[in-house]
Amino acid sequence: MNDLLLRTLMGEKTERRPLWIMRQAGRYLPEYRELRKKNTFEEMCASPDLATEVTLQPMARFPLDAAIVFADLMTPVSALGVPFHFNPGPIVPNPLRDAASIRNLRVPAAEEIAPAMYETLRRVKKGLEGRANLIGFAGAPWSIAAYLVEGKGGKGFPFLRALLAEDEVLFGELLSTLTTLCLEFSIEQYRSGADVIQIFDSWAGLLSVKNYTDHVEPHLIRLLSGLREKGIPTIYFAQGAPHLTENTKTLPCDGLGLCWRSDMAEARNVIPNEGEGRKTLQGNIDPAILLAGPEATKRAAAELLRTVPAHGHIVNLGHGIMPEVPIDSVHALVEAVHNEAGVSA
Ligand code: 1CP
């Protein structure tokens, strides 16, 4: 039984640091690309057979300490009845920018939000046979709102930021609906076998400290404390957001994922590793370093392990692995983590 990730997340000292990789199931793997030739991304998410296979692909290649269920940030949005497709990222042809479209959204019962994903979790849990922990996930309300309001990814999401400036009340209603959706959806993933829920706030970096504090953080507190009340372990990952550490360090989660811009050792100095409010830190090798090959990856991993205390640290990249990364870089990262001397030794 390997529950290194879960134990590290809950503050235990473990024999070595756990490792998993954001977006570990995906396009850098030839076996993923092979399967993807024959199926669309939507078909792969909707089929528990295919999604289970893809979730387990990186686990067959590398001795990672967690699997993350194959799905997308937009998966629960289908249940809201908002049409979207992928090319390659999410596209919402009719973005939500007026009161009627936002106020008409209804959150269905938890079991109805993403039945195929729940089934995938049950199958992956069996398939893992205790070899690794299983991570379920949801996009944070702000980062789901980003696609719903903008209609597509990238370029700073100006329509999203404009909606917040134009109508704080309406913006708050949208985030509140998405928070309920994420909470119900995450609880059901836990019931379906996820050991941990990671909340991806991929676009948190677009927010000023004031807007995050006033308009986003209260919803995250409701989401994370709702999960904590149910005894569900959580990791919150904020992308591009070192300026928000003063806020994120007090969120009611067990782990905080840092993006590659943050100084992890410095963060460890200001975020407690023991007692009330303690947090495990996750991350944060720059994903671009893996493009530079195994030697550069090995150097970056060694530097991270040298500067960040092992206790309370889950090794990961500081954002998702890129499709162009050579497999040997991933092997180098795994080796570096596995070859480190014992944490409690
Ligand atoms: O064409 C293809 O094969 C699809 C590419 C792809 C993949 C493999 C997309 C479209 N999503 C995914 C899988 C995915 N998405 C996972 C899988 C589990 C894993 O191995 O980690 C996860 C957790 C996500 C979550 C996700 N989707 C996020 C949050 C994480 C992050 O990277 O910040 C975001 C921002 C998305 C949106 C999205 N979906 C797909 C793409 C290419 C993107 C990002 C680019 C964009 O906004 O246009």
Side-chain angles (χ1 to χ4, degrees):
M1 174 74 189
N2 171 9
D3 59 357
L4 214 52
L5 178 108
L6 196 54
R7 288 191 286 124
T8 301
L9 188 59
M10 303 322 281
E12 244 184 68
K13 287 189 175 161
T14 50
E15 15 340 337
R16 68 166 168 79
R17 304 178 208 228
L19 166 70
W20 70 282
I21 298 170
M22 287 192 278
R23 299 285 197 115
Q24 67 190 25
R27 292 172 290 178
Y28 73 106
L29 288 175
E31 54 272 35
Y32 174 86
R33 294 196 298 269
E34 202 47 47
L35 212 53
R36 179 73 174 76
K37 274 188 204 156
K38 295 176 236 142
N39 306 276
T40 65
F41 176 62
E42 286 95 326
E43 284 165 349
M44 287 166 75
C45 291
S47 154
D49 268 349
L50 294 173
T52 300
E53 184 177 344
V54 173
T55 303
L56 292 172
Q57 280 177 346
M59 307 307 291
R61 252 189 203 267
F62 315 109
L64 299 164
D65 298 301
I68 178 162
V69 61
F70 185 77
D72 194 73
L73 189 96
M74 295 294 279
T75 298
V77 168
S78 301
L80 293 178
V82 180
F84 65 89
H85 57 269
F86 291 90
N87 187 23
I91 309 283
V92 180
N94 299 303
L96 310 184
R97 292 184 194 159
D98 58 64
S101 60
I102 289 172
R103 293 196 174 123
N104 283 338
L105 298 173
R106 294 286 171 275
V107 177
E111 319 80 78
E112 290 166 27
I113 296 174
M117 188 176 173
Y118 306 147
E119 177 59 20
T120 301
L121 282 161
R122 286 189 283 270
R123 293 191 194 183
V124 172
K125 185 79 167 193
K126 269 195 207 146
L128 284 172
E129 297 175 317
R131 281 177 293 136
N133 285 132
L134 176 55
I135 300 174
F137 74 92
W142 163 258
S143 292
I144 296 180
Y147 291 101
L148 290 181
V149 177
E150 197 69 28
K152 59 182 184 329
K155 304 226 168 74
F157 294 82
F159 284 101
L160 171 71
R161 287 151 62 208
L163 178 70
L164 172 54
E166 187 185 328
D167 192 338
E168 288 178 0
V169 174
L170 186 62
F171 175 85
E173 287 177 40
L174 175 59
L175 257 61
S176 178
T177 301
L178 295 176
T179 301
T180 303
L181 178 74
C182 290
L183 183 56
E184 295 293 320
F185 168 60
S186 299
I187 292 171
E188 198 60 27
Q189 289 186 58
Y190 183 73
R191 290 200 189 114
S192 306
D195 300 303
V196 175
I197 299 292
Q198 172 150 317
I199 303 297
F200 283 95
D201 215 345
S202 304
W203 306 112
L206 296 173
L207 286 151
S208 65
V209 173
K210 183 163 180 9
N211 277 341
Y212 187 84
T213 307
D214 295 347
H215 301 293
V216 172
E217 197 179 337
H219 300 281
L220 284 169
I221 291 173
R222 176 159 81 87
L223 173 59
L224 294 166
S225 55
L227 294 173
R228 183 164 270 185
E229 271 165 32
K230 301 268 181 197
I232 303 175
T234 56
I235 301 170
Y236 171 75
F237 169 70
Q239 218 284 107
H243 63 297
L244 299 174
T245 307
E246 273 305 303
N247 296 69
T248 57
K249 75 178 198 192
T250 61
L251 285 172
C253 54
D254 304 295
L256 211 51
L258 300 183
C259 79
W260 50 271
R261 297 162 189 83
S262 290
D263 185 317
M264 179 76 98
E266 222 169 76
R268 185 72 287 173
N269 284 334
V270 298
I271 300 171
N273 203 6
E274 307 274 358
E276 186 71 14
R278 72 153 296 281
K279 281 186 175 50
T280 289
L281 298 182
Q282 175 176 281
N284 74 340
I285 295 171
D286 181 347
I289 292 175
L290 277 70
L291 290 176
E295 284 309 314
T297 303
K298 216 186 283 177
R299 282 196 299 275
E303 176 70 6
L304 182 71
L305 302 186
R306 188 181 65 74
T307 54
V308 178
H311 174 215
H313 183 209
I314 297 168
V315 182
N316 205 316
L317 306 186
H319 197 193
I321 190 166
M322 294 162 171
E324 303 81 5
V325 162
I327 301 289
D328 280 350
S329 292
V330 180
H331 283 297
L333 175 59
V334 170
E335 249 170 60
V337 174
H338 281 239
N339 290 343
E340 197 195 11
V343 171
S344 45

